[in-house]
Amino acid sequence: MGGTFDPIHYGHLVTAEAARQSFGMEQVVFVPAGHPPHKEGKPISTGQHRYLMTVLATVTNPHFEVSRTEVDRPGPSYAVETIREFHRRYGEDTQIYFITGADAILEICTWYDSRKLLGLCQFIAATRPGYSLENLDVLQHKLSPELVRSIHLLEVPALAISSSDIRERVRRHGPIKYLLPEAVEHYIAKSRLYLDAPANGEA
Ligand code: ATP
Ligand code: MG
């Protein structure tokens, strides 16, 4: 599961566990993006902060692990490179699923080398409040039927939680309890993240 995870929250965790159980996966590897091309220009927390928050959030699930690969790789984070690396690491025959939410899958055609990516792994498009998967039809006009078949829909218990909303709540000293694991909540307070947006950027 790729994402900015700035910060990771229960929407990510519920989606990952639902996908793991529905598709019979052995492991879910969370991959915090190093330099997300689509978030260029927006302030994001350092890769190290996002990596550590993801580790804290996943520590209680024996099937979850976190990869530093994109955080450590210089330059923009392209999913296609990460999937190639995972095939080398876990074996070419290992079935890899890329877990995304409804908003991310609708943008898949804008991703770097998206056709190649869709050929290398299966995609899971999880429902997410505020985004309709009905628009997935538009992808059929842009992709071959074979590639469209590598996208699987997954209904997950709806959680209208987003990292942007959590960051905004912290900035306004609002409550974030029960939106994300307590350890991450404490990490945010201890590291003084999101208090004023630009100052926490990676610049
Ligand atoms: P931001 O508001 O900063 O964009 P976000 O909450 O969307 O943050 P991301 O790190 O951008 O989190 O998301 C990583 C992946 O998790 C994406 O595929 C996204 O669609 C999915 N996702 C995020 N929140 C949810 C949620 N509440 N339910 C289902 N999927 C989600
Ligand atoms: Mg997002």
Side-chain angles (χ1 to χ4, degrees):
M1 181 170 195
T4 315
F5 302 130
D6 192 21
I8 189 164
H9 54 67
Y10 282 130
H12 300 126
L13 296 165
V14 164
T15 301
E17 183 60 12
R20 190 185 74 77
Q21 292 187 6
S22 301
F23 289 80
M25 300 170 198
E26 272 171 51
Q27 290 281 328
V28 177
V29 184
F30 290 78
V31 187
H35 309 270
H38 60 287
K39 300 223 165 144
E40 209 60 58
K42 295 184 192 160
I44 72 167
S45 306
T46 61
Q48 182 68 357
H49 279 318
R50 293 180 293 104
Y51 168 77
L52 288 175
M53 289 191 282
T54 309
V55 169
L56 288 173
T58 53
V59 79
T60 55
N61 189 326
H63 301 285
F64 285 179
E65 60 183 73
V66 189
S67 163
R68 292 193 61 95
T69 184
E70 292 196 3
V71 163
D72 289 341
R73 191 191 305 146
S77 297
Y78 294 129
V80 68
E81 283 174 35
T82 302
I83 298 297
R84 282 198 189 108
E85 188 195 312
F86 279 18
H87 270 306
R88 284 194 294 273
R89 189 189 305 173
Y90 298 108
E92 298 295 331
D93 294 338
T94 300
Q95 177 65 64
I96 296 179
Y97 293 91
F98 196 119
I99 307 169
T100 68
D103 55 317
I105 198 77
L106 292 171
E107 291 175 1
I108 188 102
C109 287
T110 68
W111 291 15
Y112 178 76
D113 225 351
S114 57
R115 283 184 176 74
K116 183 66 67 60
L117 178 63
L118 282 159
L120 286 175
C121 61
Q122 306 275 304
F123 268 74
I124 296 174
T127 50
R128 180 175 187 183
Y131 303 92
S132 167
L133 276 171
E134 277 165 27
N135 300 340
L136 213 55
D137 290 354
V138 300
L139 289 182
Q140 308 208 322
H141 304 298
K142 299 184 183 169
L143 302 169
S144 70
E146 200 197 334
L147 290 183
V148 171
R149 274 198 297 277
S150 63
I151 303 175
H152 309 274
L153 302 192
L154 176 69
E155 191 88 35
V156 297
L159 287 174
I161 305 175
S162 73
S163 305
S164 332
D165 176 58
I166 293 172
R167 293 193 300 271
E168 185 56 20
R169 282 167 181 257
V170 174
R171 200 178 63 77
R172 290 195 270 117
H173 304 282
I176 59 169
K177 204 169 184 57
Y178 306 131
L179 300 178
L180 72 180
E182 247 178 37
V184 180
E185 195 184 328
H186 291 305
Y187 184 93
I188 290 170
K190 191 173 174 185
S191 307
R192 303 186 53 77
L193 297 181
Y194 315 130
L195 288 173
D196 55 357
N200 292 315
E202 215 157 7

